[in-house]
Amino acid sequence: MLSQKSTIRQERCSRLLAALWYCAHMTASRTARERVRAELTREITDIARRRLATEGAGGLSLRAVAREMGMVSSAIYRYFPSRDDLLTTLIIDGYNALGEAVEQAEAAAPRADHLGRWLAACHGVRDWAVAHPHEYALIYGSPVPGYQAPQDTIPARVRDLTVLAGIIRDAWQAGAVRAPETEAPEELEPDAAALRELMPGVPDAVIWRAVTAWTAMYGWVNFEVFGQFDNTIEHRRTAFGHSMLTMAETMGLAQ
Amino acid sequence: MLSQKSTIRQERCSRLLAALWYCAHMTASRTARERVRAELTREITDIARRRLATEGAGGLSLRAVAREMGMVSSAIYRYFPSRDDLLTTLIIDGYNALGEAVEQAEAAAPRADHLGRWLAACHGVRDWAVAHPHEYALIYGSPVPGYQAPQDTIPARVRDLTVLAGIIRDAWQAGAVRAPETEAPEELEPDAAALRELMPGVPDAVIWRAVTAWTAMYGWVNFEVFGQFDNTIEHRRTAFGHSMLTMAETMGLAQ
DNA sequence: TCTTTTGAGAGAGCATTGCTCTCCTAAGTG
DNA sequence: CACTTAGGAGAGCAATGCTCTCTCAAAAGA
């Protein structure tokens, strides 16, 4: 009994050492094995993403992915410890894809045209969401599994928010924002801290209007992607643009 | 072979006749059997709703409900032909519960205080959603199963929208709405038809602002319920109220 | 009151899922 | 060249949705 325990501990210890050694040399040596592993990992996520786009998050099954790869299902677990980990990877990828779409859309507008940048960013979000409804549902819909680890997703999920903050910051510094007459309740003063860092110098009243516009935009996109506008609104892109123009006015973005 | 087929057809025919007879007499006779059936159906949905509240939509299993009822799983199928049908029932119930919460919240405000009615309705939605996050996710989150039948849900899902439309209609008739300067694009003219019926006399420009406010409200609630505000905004009810006040201003609702 | 119909629970069974084992081979390492 | 180890194969476990058949008691009809 004791010797068995000792053996186990020894084994675990040697594994730990091996893992440490592996970590220390990982960056230096790009062995063929590591390359094929990275390649297979990418192939798994690609297939999973494709299946996600057709079946939806609920229908994504590890076994189906394995089958499509010509692998046996247990082999997948060498690459992803669980189905939720695969989903988390897909979520992070989704955040990055959306963030990139927004960044590119916004970057296409002239820097001084703050209203144009806002509208471009909004359409960037909407167009991507409409084109990738299931991926969008994964990142901005109801949380699917028990609960995905939010820690890993933080760096990727703020990319779109950063774009908005940049627009508001630039517009404010350029004097292109009319400050609202009404102030935000003092109670909210500490809550704006994180946002204040993204938009230095911008008064809280403007920040809160930006938050309102932000949630309004995602509210619209949610409604549209999740089918709430079916059989009601046909010209959705136009209606969305008009709605976002209204929100620009609410934010005090000068025409 | 032929006789077997004929027997089957005969059997099916007699079943059909029995079903027709049953339908014809259903309303008149409330037998004990029907009462216990209704009672058990209600018990199933109650347990399902409770499990939904703790496990979420993904973790709702027919077998678990059956186990909790002391039934064998196959017996559940006498009451609901599939898991999706149970979910659809829950969705309709959710729409009705939310609709009722909104109606009650809005009814508590003085009729002439249109801004107060708007804010009350908004808080009605938010408070219910925060109190029943999984049910809210079921009705306003990403569509969970393959696709639920939207036809059955239509009567229940417009209750909240009707409340909003009533506020705007009353406010407009009372002259308490400032019409916006900018008009909506003509392209959207046909899309407002359904909404125009709910708010007779209200100009399209105001209707579209109401839609924007509506989506903004649900956008905020989505963000809050789905955890997008975690570790950022603490005083969420206050922030939500301020945001909805901003949207009232956007709609032109006079203070 | 007695026979017949029928609604509905029990139980076995099927295909599928996520995940965990143990084996075993071939690629990479000293 | 010996040997370590990453990783694929396959069986297996528990759970799921759903479909059968069997059976019995309650309701209906005479």
Side-chain angles (χ1 to χ4, degrees):
Chain A
M1 184 69 178
L2 189 105
S3 80
Q4 195 186 347
K5 224 175 194 173
S6 148
T7 310
I8 288 174
R9 194 183 303 154
Q10 205 174 333
E11 191 187 337
R12 190 180 294 162
C13 184
S14 75
R15 268 192 201 162
L16 183 65
L17 283 175
L20 282 175
W21 185 91
Y22 182 78
C23 283
H25 289 71
M26 198 170 56
T27 49
S29 65
R30 290 284 295 168
T31 72
R33 212 178 226 177
E34 274 164 2
R35 255 182 297 130
V36 76
R37 182 183 174 86
E39 176 61 30
L40 279 186
T41 305
R42 220 183 55 80
E43 197 179 335
I44 291 173
T45 56
D46 281 353
I47 292 179
R49 199 183 345 272
R50 196 153 40 75
R51 293 196 73 88
L52 174 75
T54 58
E55 321 278 318
L60 193 152
S61 106
L62 267 175
R63 290 181 111 110
V65 173
R67 228 175 289 130
E68 193 165 333
M69 287 191 67
M71 257 174 159
V72 88
S73 72
S74 60
I76 297 280
Y77 289 85
R78 301 280 181 192
Y79 298 90
F80 292 93
S82 82
R83 181 179 175 274
D84 280 10
D85 286 85
L86 216 194
L87 268 182
T88 301
T89 301
L90 255 35
I91 289 174
I92 296 176
D93 287 359
Y95 272 118
N96 277 318
L98 174 59
E100 206 171 299
V102 177
E103 284 166 8
Q104 285 187 3
E106 193 260 356
R111 290 299 85 189
D113 179 13
H114 306 105
L115 177 62
R117 284 166 66 184
W118 159 253
L119 292 176
C122 289
H123 275 114
V125 171
R126 194 203 85 101
D127 293 345
W128 187 89
V130 169
H132 307 86
H134 286 113
E135 267 182 281
Y136 178 80
L138 202 58
I139 64 182
Y140 274 113
S142 30
V144 199
Y147 199 58
Q148 65 263 32
Q151 291 308 93
D152 308 351
T153 65
I154 290 179
R157 84 196 299 172
V158 292
R159 288 177 69 169
D160 46 6
L161 189 59
T162 307
V163 171
L164 167 75
I167 299 171
I168 302 300
R169 183 186 2 97
D170 291 357
W172 177 258
Q173 286 173 357
V177 177
R178 285 188 306 273
E181 292 113 33
T182 56
E183 281 293 318
E186 318 86 58
E187 192 190 5
L188 296 180
E189 208 265 329
D191 287 5
L195 296 160
R196 233 177 271 131
E197 282 179 29
L198 285 172
M199 297 173 259
V202 179
D204 278 16
V206 174
I207 288 181
W208 285 114
R209 298 225 156 192
V211 171
T212 297
W214 196 235
T215 56
M217 186 201 60
Y218 274 106
W220 180 289
V221 176
N222 267 296
F223 266 30
E224 181 170 348
V225 172
F226 297 159
Q228 227 79 24
F229 287 154
D230 289 1
N231 310 320
T232 309
I233 297 177
E234 286 309 317
H235 304 87
R236 294 178 194 157
R237 200 173 198 278
T238 307
F240 174 72
H242 179 64
S243 184
M244 291 306 104
L245 193 63
T246 301
M247 291 315 298
E249 186 189 309
T250 299
M251 281 192 289
L253 262 191
Q255 178 82 0
Chain B
M1 184 71 179
L2 188 105
S3 79
Q4 194 187 348
K5 225 176 194 172
S6 149
T7 310
I8 288 175
R9 196 183 303 155
Q10 202 176 334
E11 190 187 339
R12 190 180 295 161
C13 186
S14 75
R15 268 193 202 161
L16 183 64
L17 282 175
L20 283 174
W21 186 92
Y22 181 78
C23 282
H25 290 70
M26 198 169 54
T27 50
S29 65
R30 289 283 295 167
T31 72
R33 214 176 224 177
E34 275 165 1
R35 257 183 294 129
V36 75
R37 182 182 173 85
E39 176 61 31
L40 279 186
T41 306
R42 219 183 55 81
E43 196 180 335
I44 291 173
T45 56
D46 280 352
I47 292 179
R49 201 185 339 275
R50 197 151 41 74
R51 293 197 72 88
L52 174 75
T54 58
E55 320 279 319
L60 193 151
S61 109
L62 231 50
R63 290 180 112 109
V65 173
R67 229 176 288 129
E68 194 166 330
M69 288 191 67
M71 260 174 157
V72 88
S73 73
S74 60
I76 296 280
Y77 289 86
R78 299 281 179 191
Y79 299 89
F80 292 92
S82 81
R83 181 178 175 275
D84 281 9
D85 286 85
L86 217 195
L87 269 182
T88 301
T89 301
L90 256 35
I91 289 173
I92 296 176
D93 287 359
Y95 273 118
N96 277 319
L98 174 60
E100 207 171 299
V102 178
E103 285 167 7
Q104 285 187 2
E106 193 259 356
R111 292 297 84 187
D113 179 12
H114 306 104
L115 177 61
R117 284 166 67 185
W118 158 253
L119 292 176
C122 289
H123 275 114
V125 172
R126 193 204 85 102
D127 292 346
W128 187 89
V130 170
H132 309 87
H134 286 114
E135 267 182 280
Y136 178 81
L138 202 59
I139 63 183
Y140 274 113
S142 30
V144 200
Y147 199 59
Q148 65 263 34
Q151 292 307 94
D152 309 350
T153 65
I154 290 179
R157 84 198 300 174
V158 291
R159 287 176 69 167
D160 45 6
L161 189 59
T162 307
V163 171
L164 167 76
I167 299 171
I168 301 300
R169 183 184 5 94
D170 291 356
W172 177 259
Q173 285 174 359
V177 178
R178 284 189 306 274
E181 292 112 33
T182 55
E183 281 294 317
E186 318 85 61
E187 192 191 3
L188 297 180
E189 208 265 330
D191 287 4
L195 296 160
R196 234 176 271 130
E197 284 179 27
L198 286 172
M199 296 173 259
V202 179
D204 278 15
V206 174
I207 288 181
W208 285 114
R209 298 226 157 191
V211 171
T212 297
W214 196 236
T215 54
M217 187 202 58
Y218 275 106
W220 180 289
V221 176
N222 267 297
F223 266 31
E224 181 171 348
V225 172
F226 297 158
Q228 227 79 23
F229 287 154
D230 289 1
N231 312 319
T232 309
I233 297 177
E234 287 307 317
H235 304 87
R236 295 180 193 154
R237 200 173 199 278
T238 306
F240 174 71
H242 178 65
S243 185
M244 290 307 103
L245 192 64
T246 300
M247 291 316 297
E249 186 190 309
T250 299
M251 281 193 289
L253 262 191
Q255 180 80 3

Tab-separated table of all heavy atoms in Angstrom, chain A residues 31-33 60-63 67 73-74 77 82-83, chain C residues 16-23 26-30:
chain	number	residue	atom	x	y	z
A	31	THR	N	9.285	21.180	-32.656
A	31	THR	CA	9.426	19.849	-33.254
A	31	THR	C	8.281	19.586	-34.217
A	31	THR	O	7.247	20.258	-34.187
A	31	THR	CB	9.413	18.771	-32.168
A	31	THR	OG1	8.081	18.673	-31.677
A	31	THR	CG2	10.345	19.130	-31.035
A	32	ALA	N	8.472	18.593	-35.045
A	32	ALA	CA	7.440	18.216	-36.010
A	32	ALA	C	6.184	17.766	-35.275
A	32	ALA	O	5.058	18.030	-35.701
A	32	ALA	CB	7.947	17.100	-36.907
A	33	ARG	N	6.397	17.065	-34.140
A	33	ARG	CA	5.265	16.601	-33.368
A	33	ARG	C	4.403	17.773	-32.901
A	33	ARG	O	3.177	17.724	-32.966
A	33	ARG	CB	5.788	15.843	-32.148
A	33	ARG	CG	4.865	14.725	-31.740
A	33	ARG	CD	5.439	13.978	-30.558
A	33	ARG	NE	5.360	12.552	-30.764
A	33	ARG	CZ	5.857	11.669	-29.905
A	33	ARG	NH1	6.507	12.084	-28.838
A	33	ARG	NH2	5.717	10.383	-30.132
A	60	LEU	N	-23.540	20.707	-31.181
A	60	LEU	CA	-22.116	20.447	-31.389
A	60	LEU	C	-21.695	19.258	-30.531
A	60	LEU	O	-21.712	19.342	-29.305
A	60	LEU	CB	-21.299	21.685	-31.022
A	60	LEU	CG	-19.852	21.672	-31.472
A	60	LEU	CD1	-19.370	23.082	-31.695
A	60	LEU	CD2	-18.947	20.976	-30.492
A	61	SER	N	-21.303	18.168	-31.185
A	61	SER	CA	-20.907	16.984	-30.433
A	61	SER	C	-19.470	16.606	-30.756
A	61	SER	O	-19.045	16.604	-31.915
A	61	SER	CB	-21.833	15.818	-30.737
A	61	SER	OG	-21.206	14.868	-31.560
A	62	LEU	N	-18.730	16.294	-29.697
A	62	LEU	CA	-17.329	15.919	-29.861
A	62	LEU	C	-17.193	14.685	-30.744
A	62	LEU	O	-16.292	14.589	-31.576
A	62	LEU	CB	-16.721	15.627	-28.491
A	62	LEU	CG	-16.039	16.802	-27.814
A	62	LEU	CD1	-15.591	16.437	-26.436
A	62	LEU	CD2	-14.846	17.205	-28.645
A	63	ARG	N	-18.109	13.754	-30.561
A	63	ARG	CA	-18.032	12.509	-31.332
A	63	ARG	C	-18.217	12.785	-32.821
A	63	ARG	O	-17.579	12.157	-33.671
A	63	ARG	CB	-19.081	11.528	-30.830
A	63	ARG	CG	-18.764	10.985	-29.461
A	63	ARG	CD	-19.829	10.005	-29.010
A	63	ARG	NE	-19.323	8.644	-28.953
A	63	ARG	CZ	-19.120	7.969	-27.827
A	63	ARG	NH1	-19.398	8.513	-26.660
A	63	ARG	NH2	-18.648	6.752	-27.860
A	67	ARG	N	-15.649	11.927	-35.695
A	67	ARG	CA	-16.058	11.114	-36.837
A	67	ARG	C	-15.655	11.795	-38.143
A	67	ARG	O	-15.121	11.182	-39.057
A	67	ARG	CB	-17.571	10.912	-36.776
A	67	ARG	CG	-18.014	9.476	-36.973
A	67	ARG	CD	-19.508	9.342	-36.788
A	67	ARG	NE	-19.922	9.486	-35.407
A	67	ARG	CZ	-20.898	10.284	-34.997
A	67	ARG	NH1	-21.554	11.035	-35.865
A	67	ARG	NH2	-21.221	10.367	-33.719
A	73	SER	N	-13.459	8.828	-31.001
A	73	SER	CA	-13.838	9.972	-30.175
A	73	SER	C	-12.870	10.224	-29.020
A	73	SER	O	-12.609	11.367	-28.649
A	73	SER	CB	-15.244	9.768	-29.621
A	73	SER	OG	-15.230	8.779	-28.623
A	74	SER	N	-12.332	9.157	-28.468
A	74	SER	CA	-11.463	9.358	-27.299
A	74	SER	C	-10.198	10.117	-27.661
A	74	SER	O	-9.558	10.722	-26.793
A	74	SER	CB	-11.120	8.011	-26.682
A	74	SER	OG	-10.454	7.203	-27.612
A	77	TYR	N	-9.856	13.874	-26.911
A	77	TYR	CA	-9.547	14.327	-25.554
A	77	TYR	C	-8.056	14.539	-25.334
A	77	TYR	O	-7.647	15.039	-24.308
A	77	TYR	CB	-10.115	13.331	-24.535
A	77	TYR	CG	-11.623	13.391	-24.481
A	77	TYR	CD1	-12.402	12.667	-25.362
A	77	TYR	CD2	-12.256	14.223	-23.562
A	77	TYR	CE1	-13.778	12.744	-25.338
A	77	TYR	CE2	-13.635	14.297	-23.524
A	77	TYR	CZ	-14.387	13.559	-24.417
A	77	TYR	OH	-15.756	13.647	-24.387
A	82	SER	N	-12.294	18.644	-22.494
A	82	SER	CA	-13.740	18.440	-22.391
A	82	SER	C	-14.441	19.237	-23.483
A	82	SER	O	-13.839	20.100	-24.131
A	82	SER	CB	-14.260	18.860	-21.020
A	82	SER	OG	-14.448	20.252	-20.985
A	83	ARG	N	-15.717	18.943	-23.656
A	83	ARG	CA	-16.508	19.654	-24.647
A	83	ARG	C	-16.558	21.142	-24.327
A	83	ARG	O	-16.500	21.985	-25.221
A	83	ARG	CB	-17.916	19.065	-24.679
A	83	ARG	CG	-18.848	19.703	-25.683
A	83	ARG	CD	-20.197	19.016	-25.641
A	83	ARG	NE	-21.167	19.668	-26.492
A	83	ARG	CZ	-21.921	20.700	-26.131
A	83	ARG	NH1	-21.780	21.200	-24.928
A	83	ARG	NH2	-22.789	21.232	-26.961
C	16	DT	P	-26.877	6.450	-34.022
C	16	DT	OP1	-27.102	7.167	-35.289
C	16	DT	OP2	-25.912	5.308	-33.934
C	16	DT	O5'	-26.436	7.519	-32.913
C	16	DT	C5'	-27.243	8.664	-32.681
C	16	DT	C4'	-26.932	9.278	-31.342
C	16	DT	O4'	-27.242	8.330	-30.292
C	16	DT	C3'	-25.457	9.593	-31.106
C	16	DT	O3'	-25.161	10.931	-31.479
C	16	DT	C2'	-25.302	9.426	-29.584
C	16	DT	C1'	-26.610	8.831	-29.131
C	16	DT	N1	-26.421	7.718	-28.163
C	16	DT	C2	-26.580	7.985	-26.827
C	16	DT	O2	-26.869	9.080	-26.397
C	16	DT	N3	-26.370	6.910	-25.997
C	16	DT	C4	-26.034	5.632	-26.361
C	16	DT	O4	-25.870	4.755	-25.536
C	16	DT	C5	-25.879	5.423	-27.781
C	16	DT	C7	-25.496	4.073	-28.285
C	16	DT	C6	-26.083	6.464	-28.611
C	17	DT	P	-23.656	11.449	-31.415
C	17	DT	OP1	-23.591	12.646	-32.268
C	17	DT	OP2	-22.765	10.299	-31.647
C	17	DT	O5'	-23.470	11.908	-29.899
C	17	DT	C5'	-24.253	12.975	-29.366
C	17	DT	C4'	-24.041	13.064	-27.863
C	17	DT	O4'	-24.494	11.840	-27.257
C	17	DT	C3'	-22.587	13.165	-27.458
C	17	DT	O3'	-22.211	14.525	-27.361
C	17	DT	C2'	-22.552	12.500	-26.085
C	17	DT	C1'	-23.808	11.658	-26.042
C	17	DT	N1	-23.527	10.204	-25.891
C	17	DT	C2	-23.445	9.665	-24.635
C	17	DT	O2	-23.568	10.321	-23.623
C	17	DT	N3	-23.190	8.313	-24.603
C	17	DT	C4	-23.026	7.473	-25.682
C	17	DT	O4	-22.804	6.287	-25.527
C	17	DT	C5	-23.115	8.112	-26.973
C	17	DT	C7	-22.954	7.296	-28.216
C	17	DT	C6	-23.362	9.419	-27.019
C	18	DG	P	-20.630	14.864	-27.277
C	18	DG	OP1	-20.512	16.285	-27.667
C	18	DG	OP2	-19.883	13.829	-28.011
C	18	DG	O5'	-20.294	14.700	-25.734
C	18	DG	C5'	-20.961	15.508	-24.763
C	18	DG	C4'	-20.461	15.127	-23.388
C	18	DG	O4'	-20.794	13.737	-23.145
C	18	DG	C3'	-18.950	15.257	-23.211
C	18	DG	O3'	-18.669	15.815	-21.942
C	18	DG	C2'	-18.460	13.828	-23.353
C	18	DG	C1'	-19.621	13.011	-22.806
C	18	DG	N9	-19.702	11.686	-23.427
C	18	DG	C8	-19.715	11.390	-24.767
C	18	DG	N7	-19.783	10.118	-25.016
C	18	DG	C5	-19.829	9.527	-23.772
C	18	DG	C6	-19.908	8.156	-23.409
C	18	DG	O6	-19.949	7.165	-24.141
C	18	DG	N1	-19.927	7.978	-22.023
C	18	DG	C2	-19.880	9.009	-21.115
C	18	DG	N2	-19.904	8.658	-19.830
C	18	DG	N3	-19.810	10.293	-21.439
C	18	DG	C4	-19.788	10.485	-22.775
C	19	DC	P	-17.178	16.238	-21.630
C	19	DC	OP1	-17.208	17.250	-20.559
C	19	DC	OP2	-16.511	16.524	-22.905
C	19	DC	O5'	-16.563	14.907	-21.009
C	19	DC	C5'	-17.242	14.287	-19.932
C	19	DC	C4'	-16.597	12.959	-19.605
C	19	DC	O4'	-16.996	11.960	-20.556
C	19	DC	C3'	-15.056	12.950	-19.639
C	19	DC	O3'	-14.582	12.770	-18.314
C	19	DC	C2'	-14.692	11.787	-20.537
C	19	DC	C1'	-15.983	10.999	-20.619
C	19	DC	N1	-16.159	10.220	-21.865
C	19	DC	C2	-16.356	8.840	-21.782
C	19	DC	O2	-16.380	8.308	-20.678
C	19	DC	N3	-16.510	8.128	-22.924
C	19	DC	C4	-16.474	8.739	-24.105
C	19	DC	N4	-16.641	8.005	-25.195
C	19	DC	C5	-16.271	10.152	-24.208
C	19	DC	C6	-16.118	10.853	-23.071
C	20	DT	P	-13.024	12.662	-18.003
C	20	DT	OP1	-12.821	13.399	-16.742
C	20	DT	OP2	-12.276	13.025	-19.216
C	20	DT	O5'	-12.814	11.107	-17.725
C	20	DT	C5'	-13.837	10.370	-17.083
C	20	DT	C4'	-13.393	8.925	-16.911
C	20	DT	O4'	-13.750	8.161	-18.090
C	20	DT	C3'	-11.889	8.772	-16.728
C	20	DT	O3'	-11.642	7.922	-15.625
C	20	DT	C2'	-11.422	8.162	-18.037
C	20	DT	C1'	-12.646	7.410	-18.522
C	20	DT	N1	-12.738	7.321	-20.000
C	20	DT	C2	-12.957	6.090	-20.590
C	20	DT	O2	-13.079	5.070	-19.958
C	20	DT	N3	-13.029	6.122	-21.954
C	20	DT	C4	-12.909	7.231	-22.774
C	20	DT	O4	-12.983	7.132	-23.986
C	20	DT	C5	-12.674	8.481	-22.094
C	20	DT	C7	-12.499	9.745	-22.878
C	20	DT	C6	-12.605	8.466	-20.755
C	21	DC	P	-10.157	7.697	-15.064
C	21	DC	OP1	-10.143	8.065	-13.662
C	21	DC	OP2	-9.176	8.303	-16.015
C	21	DC	O5'	-10.013	6.104	-15.155
C	21	DC	C5'	-9.051	5.561	-16.006
C	21	DC	C4'	-9.519	4.229	-16.557
C	21	DC	O4'	-10.432	4.464	-17.633
C	21	DC	C3'	-8.368	3.420	-17.127
C	21	DC	O3'	-7.961	2.497	-16.131
C	21	DC	C2'	-8.956	2.738	-18.339
C	21	DC	C1'	-10.131	3.625	-18.739
C	21	DC	N1	-9.893	4.501	-19.920
C	21	DC	C2	-10.014	3.964	-21.206
C	21	DC	O2	-10.295	2.754	-21.322
C	21	DC	N3	-9.828	4.764	-22.281
C	21	DC	C4	-9.536	6.061	-22.104
C	21	DC	N4	-9.380	6.806	-23.185
C	21	DC	C5	-9.389	6.623	-20.790
C	21	DC	C6	-9.567	5.819	-19.750
C	22	DT	P	-6.424	2.184	-15.982
C	22	DT	OP1	-6.202	1.549	-14.663
C	22	DT	OP2	-5.637	3.356	-16.394
C	22	DT	O5'	-6.228	1.054	-17.096
C	22	DT	C5'	-7.253	0.084	-17.303
C	22	DT	C4'	-7.054	-0.545	-18.660
C	22	DT	O4'	-7.428	0.378	-19.710
C	22	DT	C3'	-5.606	-0.947	-18.932
C	22	DT	O3'	-5.568	-2.305	-19.341
C	22	DT	C2'	-5.144	0.002	-20.029
C	22	DT	C1'	-6.448	0.357	-20.730
C	22	DT	N1	-6.435	1.694	-21.390
C	22	DT	C2	-6.649	1.763	-22.745
C	22	DT	O2	-6.860	0.797	-23.444
C	22	DT	N3	-6.620	3.041	-23.248
C	22	DT	C4	-6.383	4.217	-22.554
C	22	DT	O4	-6.377	5.301	-23.114
C	22	DT	C5	-6.151	4.062	-21.140
C	22	DT	C7	-5.876	5.252	-20.288
C	22	DT	C6	-6.191	2.818	-20.618
C	23	DC	P	-4.174	-3.042	-19.548
C	23	DC	OP1	-4.246	-4.341	-18.875
C	23	DC	OP2	-3.057	-2.111	-19.267
C	23	DC	O5'	-4.301	-3.205	-21.060
C	23	DC	C5'	-3.860	-3.797	-22.050
C	23	DC	C4'	-4.042	-3.094	-23.388
C	23	DC	O4'	-4.299	-1.677	-23.238
C	23	DC	C3'	-2.801	-3.202	-24.246
C	23	DC	O3'	-3.008	-4.223	-25.225
C	23	DC	C2'	-2.644	-1.828	-24.874
C	23	DC	C1'	-3.879	-1.057	-24.435
C	23	DC	N1	-3.634	0.372	-24.171
C	23	DC	C2	-3.752	1.277	-25.225
C	23	DC	O2	-4.051	0.869	-26.365
C	23	DC	N3	-3.534	2.593	-24.996
C	23	DC	C4	-3.209	3.007	-23.758
C	23	DC	N4	-3.016	4.313	-23.577
C	23	DC	C5	-3.081	2.100	-22.675
C	23	DC	C6	-3.294	0.800	-22.921
C	26	DA	P	3.474	0.847	-35.971
C	26	DA	OP1	2.631	0.201	-36.989
C	26	DA	OP2	4.720	0.212	-35.493
C	26	DA	O5'	3.847	2.315	-36.477
C	26	DA	C5'	2.923	3.369	-36.285
C	26	DA	C4'	3.637	4.588	-35.706
C	26	DA	O4'	3.826	4.395	-34.277
C	26	DA	C3'	5.036	4.851	-36.279
C	26	DA	O3'	5.184	6.241	-36.458
C	26	DA	C2'	5.962	4.345	-35.181
C	26	DA	C1'	5.157	4.744	-33.958
C	26	DA	N9	5.529	4.033	-32.738
C	26	DA	C8	5.851	2.717	-32.606
C	26	DA	N7	6.136	2.353	-31.382
C	26	DA	C5	5.998	3.514	-30.653
C	26	DA	C6	6.153	3.805	-29.280
C	26	DA	N6	6.512	2.887	-28.381
C	26	DA	N1	5.931	5.071	-28.881
C	26	DA	C2	5.577	5.980	-29.789
C	26	DA	N3	5.389	5.825	-31.103
C	26	DA	C4	5.616	4.557	-31.476
C	27	DA	P	6.046	6.780	-37.679
C	27	DA	OP1	5.183	6.778	-38.870
C	27	DA	OP2	7.337	6.054	-37.693
C	27	DA	O5'	6.325	8.286	-37.243
C	27	DA	C5'	5.360	8.990	-36.473
C	27	DA	C4'	6.022	9.673	-35.301
C	27	DA	O4'	6.280	8.700	-34.259
C	27	DA	C3'	7.370	10.329	-35.622
C	27	DA	O3'	7.360	11.663	-35.175
C	27	DA	C2'	8.380	9.494	-34.847
C	27	DA	C1'	7.544	8.971	-33.692
C	27	DA	N9	8.041	7.722	-33.111
C	27	DA	C8	8.266	6.550	-33.764
C	27	DA	N7	8.699	5.590	-32.976
C	27	DA	C5	8.752	6.165	-31.734
C	27	DA	C6	9.125	5.660	-30.464
C	27	DA	N6	9.535	4.408	-30.259
C	27	DA	N1	9.052	6.505	-29.410
C	27	DA	C2	8.650	7.760	-29.618
C	27	DA	N3	8.266	8.344	-30.757
C	27	DA	C4	8.344	7.474	-31.786
C	28	DG	P	8.522	12.648	-35.604
C	28	DG	OP1	7.913	13.941	-35.936
C	28	DG	OP2	9.386	11.957	-36.576
C	28	DG	O5'	9.328	12.803	-34.238
C	28	DG	C5'	8.730	13.490	-33.158
C	28	DG	C4'	9.543	13.261	-31.915
C	28	DG	O4'	9.691	11.837	-31.694
C	28	DG	C3'	10.958	13.845	-31.944
C	28	DG	O3'	11.169	14.571	-30.738
C	28	DG	C2'	11.859	12.620	-32.027
C	28	DG	C1'	11.025	11.567	-31.315
C	28	DG	N9	11.315	10.189	-31.700
C	28	DG	C8	11.265	9.639	-32.964
C	28	DG	N7	11.559	8.372	-32.987
C	28	DG	C5	11.824	8.050	-31.652
C	28	DG	C6	12.198	6.802	-31.073
C	28	DG	O6	12.361	5.718	-31.611
C	28	DG	N1	12.360	6.922	-29.685
C	28	DG	C2	12.191	8.090	-28.976
C	28	DG	N2	12.393	8.012	-27.666
C	28	DG	N3	11.838	9.258	-29.519
C	28	DG	C4	11.668	9.165	-30.852
C	29	DT	P	12.607	15.146	-30.449
C	29	DT	OP1	12.445	16.369	-29.631
C	29	DT	OP2	13.383	15.198	-31.704
C	29	DT	O5'	13.222	14.021	-29.511
C	29	DT	C5'	12.586	13.729	-28.264
C	29	DT	C4'	13.600	13.188	-27.270
C	29	DT	O4'	13.847	11.780	-27.522
C	29	DT	C3'	14.970	13.861	-27.299
C	29	DT	O3'	15.472	13.958	-25.972
C	29	DT	C2'	15.810	12.918	-28.149
C	29	DT	C1'	15.225	11.557	-27.787
C	29	DT	N1	15.288	10.547	-28.879
C	29	DT	C2	15.558	9.236	-28.562
C	29	DT	O2	15.759	8.848	-27.435
C	29	DT	N3	15.589	8.390	-29.645
C	29	DT	C4	15.389	8.710	-30.980
C	29	DT	O4	15.452	7.862	-31.849
C	29	DT	C5	15.116	10.098	-31.235
C	29	DT	C7	14.897	10.559	-32.641
C	29	DT	C6	15.078	10.954	-30.184
C	30	DG	P	16.732	14.854	-25.710
C	30	DG	OP1	16.394	15.766	-24.608
C	30	DG	OP2	17.243	15.379	-27.005
C	30	DG	O5'	17.773	13.778	-25.170
C	30	DG	C5'	17.482	13.080	-23.972
C	30	DG	C4'	18.412	11.889	-23.835
C	30	DG	O4'	18.227	11.014	-24.969
C	30	DG	C3'	19.900	12.258	-23.797
C	30	DG	O3'	20.526	11.630	-22.686
C	30	DG	C2'	20.473	11.705	-25.104
C	30	DG	C1'	19.480	10.620	-25.479
C	30	DG	N9	19.307	10.460	-26.929
C	30	DG	C8	19.047	11.457	-27.834
C	30	DG	N7	18.929	11.027	-29.052
C	30	DG	C5	19.129	9.648	-28.955
C	30	DG	C6	19.109	8.656	-29.961
C	30	DG	O6	18.932	8.784	-31.171
C	30	DG	N1	19.353	7.394	-29.410
C	30	DG	C2	19.576	7.130	-28.089
C	30	DG	N2	19.778	5.863	-27.757
C	30	DG	N3	19.588	8.055	-27.140
C	30	DG	C4	19.357	9.292	-27.645
